[in-house]
């Protein structure tokens, strides 16, 4: 199996660019103030440009930014794998880089600098990705290489045959110092996301099928809803009917369909529920 390089590229701190990234088949980064980087062909050039663009920024901050921007501009190659952790779903999109760097002036800020990509999957459930890989994907960085614990080969294997279930030192005196993103071994991670991943795994182990519907019903009751939970067996696509008020007919009412397993609710599922 040929060696591959796997990169993580986020689409904004809050995922504000992920829908555009998936629809336009691109990955991208922000830093719109730096403008077009096409003519900058080395990491020191990018660092010098950042020094001029952000004169009041700390040297350590500039080194960190320069490392990530240089990775996106110079080090990511056509054919590399890329991971986009999604904020809108408990999933990670994976694709393969198909184009060189380009600057798109009219794009949202989170995607101003872009690389075209062919998406292999727009939502691999986090539940079927090993926890150590999720930990690497949880780094608080916009761009970094994911390579610990043979990550690149393991993700490639996962994409080809998915299973059915589920700190760098900065030399402040050197104005050209660049922190390479894949050398930041102590980068802070998103502990909230890691906690959510562990909770989902625990729920998947303990509550399957109708038991998950029962759990959701009890959670709704704890929130003050009157619930009618369908018994095990065919339910016509509605697992729970819930409403507020003494009889369940006041305020908010809802029909709930509960799906268990390592899946991500897609558009057809949501359309069926609306119907």
């Amino acid at each position: 199996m040929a060696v591959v390089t796997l990169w993580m590229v986020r689409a904004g701190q809050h995922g504000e660019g992920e829908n555009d990234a998936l629809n336009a088949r691109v990955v991208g980064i922000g830093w719109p103030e730096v403008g077009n980087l096409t003519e900058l062909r080395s990491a020191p050039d990018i660092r010098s440009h950042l020094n001029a663009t952000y004169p009041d920024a700390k040297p350590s901050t500039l080194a960190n930014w320069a490392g990530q921007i240089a990775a996106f501009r110079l080090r990511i190659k056509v054919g590399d794998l890329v991971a986009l952790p999604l904020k809108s779903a408990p999933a990670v999109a994976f694709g393969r880089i198909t184009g060189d760097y380009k600057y798109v002036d009219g794009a949202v800020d989170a995607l101003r600098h872009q690389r075209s990509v062919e998406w292999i999957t727009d939502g691999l459930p986090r539940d079927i990705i090993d926890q150590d890989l999720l930990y690497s994907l949880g780094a608080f960085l916009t761009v970094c290489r994911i390579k610990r614990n043979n990550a690149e080969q393991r993700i490639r294997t996962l994409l080809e045959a998915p299973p059915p279930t589920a700190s760098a030192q900065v030399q402040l005196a050197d104005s050209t110092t660049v922190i390479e993103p894949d050398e930041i071994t102590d980068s802070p991670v998103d502990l909230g996301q890691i906690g959510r991943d562990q909770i989902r795994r625990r729920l998947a182990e303990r509550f399957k099928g109708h038991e998950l519907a029962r759990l959701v019903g009890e959670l709704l009751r704890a929130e003050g809803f009157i619930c009618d939970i369908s018994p095990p067996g065919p339910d016509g696509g509605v697992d729970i009917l819930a409403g507020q008020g003494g009889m369940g007919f006041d305020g908010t009412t809802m029909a709930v369909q509960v799906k268990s397993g390592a899946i991500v609710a897609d558009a057809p599922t949501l359309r069926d529920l609306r119907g």
Side-chain angles (χ1 to χ4, degrees):
M1 184 178 293
V3 175
V4 296
T5 301
L6 171 64
W7 298 90
M8 179 189 72
V9 180
R10 298 190 182 277
Q13 181 179 1
H14 305 291
E16 56 268 29
E18 65 185 37
N19 287 334
D20 287 351
L22 294 173
N23 292 333
R25 298 182 181 179
V26 299
V27 288
I29 60 176
W31 290 282
E33 299 86 358
V34 305
N36 195 336
L37 301 175
T38 301
E39 299 304 319
L40 303 182
R41 303 185 183 279
S42 71
D45 288 344
I46 290 174
R47 177 61 193 271
S48 297
H49 184 64
L50 288 180
N51 289 343
T53 305
Y54 304 101
D56 298 326
K58 295 180 180 179
S60 57
T61 298
L62 290 173
N64 187 296
W65 290 354
Q68 295 182 71
I69 295 172
F72 189 84
R73 167 69 183 90
L74 304 170
R75 299 178 61 205
I76 295 180
K77 304 299 183 184
V78 172
D80 286 351
L81 289 174
V82 63
L84 170 60
L86 301 178
K87 293 288 188 178
S88 59
V92 181
F94 287 94
R96 194 173 298 279
I97 298 294
T98 59
D100 294 326
Y101 167 86
K102 61 182 178 181
Y103 180 77
V104 181
D105 189 44
V108 298
D109 285 353
L111 298 177
R112 197 64 61 89
H113 309 273
Q114 297 183 1
R115 307 289 296 265
S116 59
V117 60
E118 178 184 358
W119 293 113
I120 300 171
T121 171
D122 60 3
L124 189 70
R126 298 178 69 93
D127 289 343
I128 66 173
I129 302 175
D130 290 338
Q131 186 61 57
D132 64 316
L133 298 179
L134 291 176
Y135 191 86
S136 295
L137 292 169
F140 274 128
L141 293 169
T142 301
V143 181
C144 69
R145 183 178 174 187
I146 307 297
K147 64 178 183 178
R148 285 180 177 177
N149 302 331
N150 200 27
E152 296 155 329
Q153 299 287 22
R154 290 166 62 195
I155 288 295
R156 179 173 174 177
T157 300
L158 186 61
L159 293 173
E160 291 176 347
T165 58
S167 106
Q169 295 183 351
V170 181
Q171 301 176 15
L172 299 181
D174 183 358
S175 63
T176 63
T177 298
V178 172
I179 298 178
E180 299 292 357
D182 56 340
E183 295 176 358
I184 302 177
T185 57
D186 297 317
S187 174
V189 297
D190 188 345
L191 295 179
Q193 182 62 67
I194 292 173
R196 288 189 290 273
D197 290 337
Q198 293 176 343
I199 290 171
R200 274 196 298 269
R201 288 178 185 273
R202 183 63 171 170
L203 291 177
E205 292 171 358
R206 295 290 300 275
F207 299 93
K208 301 180 185 297
H210 182 70
E211 286 301 301
L212 183 59
R214 187 175 63 82
L215 173 64
V216 173
E218 293 303 325
L219 291 174
L220 288 171
R221 284 172 176 159
E223 292 294 326
F225 285 87
I226 303 297
C227 295
D228 180 13
I229 304 173
S230 298
D235 53 29
V238 177
D239 295 294
I240 304 168
L241 292 174
Q244 295 177 315
M247 299 291 292
F249 298 115
D250 302 328
T252 301
T253 59
M254 66 179 75
V256 183
Q257 184 178 22
V258 180
K259 289 185 176 294
S260 64
I263 61 173
V264 176
D266 53 13
T269 300
L270 297 177
R271 284 196 296 268
D272 290 345
L273 178 59
R274 180 184 298 179

